[in-house]
Amino acid sequence: MKIESLSSGINAEYGGLGGFINSLLSWKGWLVLARLTYSVYLLHIGLMCLLVAGLRAPMKVAPDFNFATWYLGVLSMSYLAAIILYISLEQPLAAIEASTYRKRK
């Protein structure tokens, strides 16, 4: 049942009958978020290794939300590092690439 509804939604999008969903999925903000998410994917393992190596005692999973605060901390630091990486490296290199490989008329 779920497969049929998903496939009919995909077919409606492909046929140009998406409406609100089409405008939501084609929003330009998703492009920046996708680039940041890929950078977070690349950075979070190294960040977690650094944080775990700095622990003085073994981390215990307890019901007092230690794990949740650890997760939110790693998530926020990863996104902050991804923003810095995007602004300092990816965006200037993309501008250089665009000017270098510009189509000549």
Side-chain angles (χ1 to χ4, degrees):
M1 187 66 160
K2 292 179 184 179
I3 298 294
E4 290 87 10
S5 63
L6 181 63
S7 64
S8 65
I10 291 172
N11 285 334
E13 288 292 326
Y14 186 72
L17 302 172
F20 171 71
I21 300 296
N22 189 21
S23 62
L24 179 70
L25 293 177
S26 354
W27 180 51
K28 300 294 181 193
W30 295 122
L31 183 63
V32 175
L33 188 61
R35 289 181 181 160
L36 284 180
T37 303
Y38 185 68
S39 296
V40 167
Y41 169 71
L42 294 176
L43 292 171
H44 86 281
I45 293 294
L47 183 64
M48 285 179 58
C49 288
L50 284 173
L51 291 173
V52 169
L55 288 176
R56 295 183 181 195
M59 189 172 115
K60 297 177 183 176
V61 179
D64 60 351
F65 300 107
N66 283 339
F67 192 71
T69 56
W70 179 269
Y71 172 77
L72 292 175
V74 168
L75 183 69
S76 61
M77 285 189 287
S78 296
Y79 269 100
L80 181 64
I83 288 170
I84 292 170
L85 180 71
Y86 178 73
I87 290 172
S88 64
L89 196 72
E90 286 185 44
Q91 199 171 24
L93 287 177
I96 291 171
E97 181 185 12
S99 66
T100 304
Y101 297 114
R102 183 175 51 216
K103 290 185 179 181
R104 296 182 181 148
K105 294 180 181 180

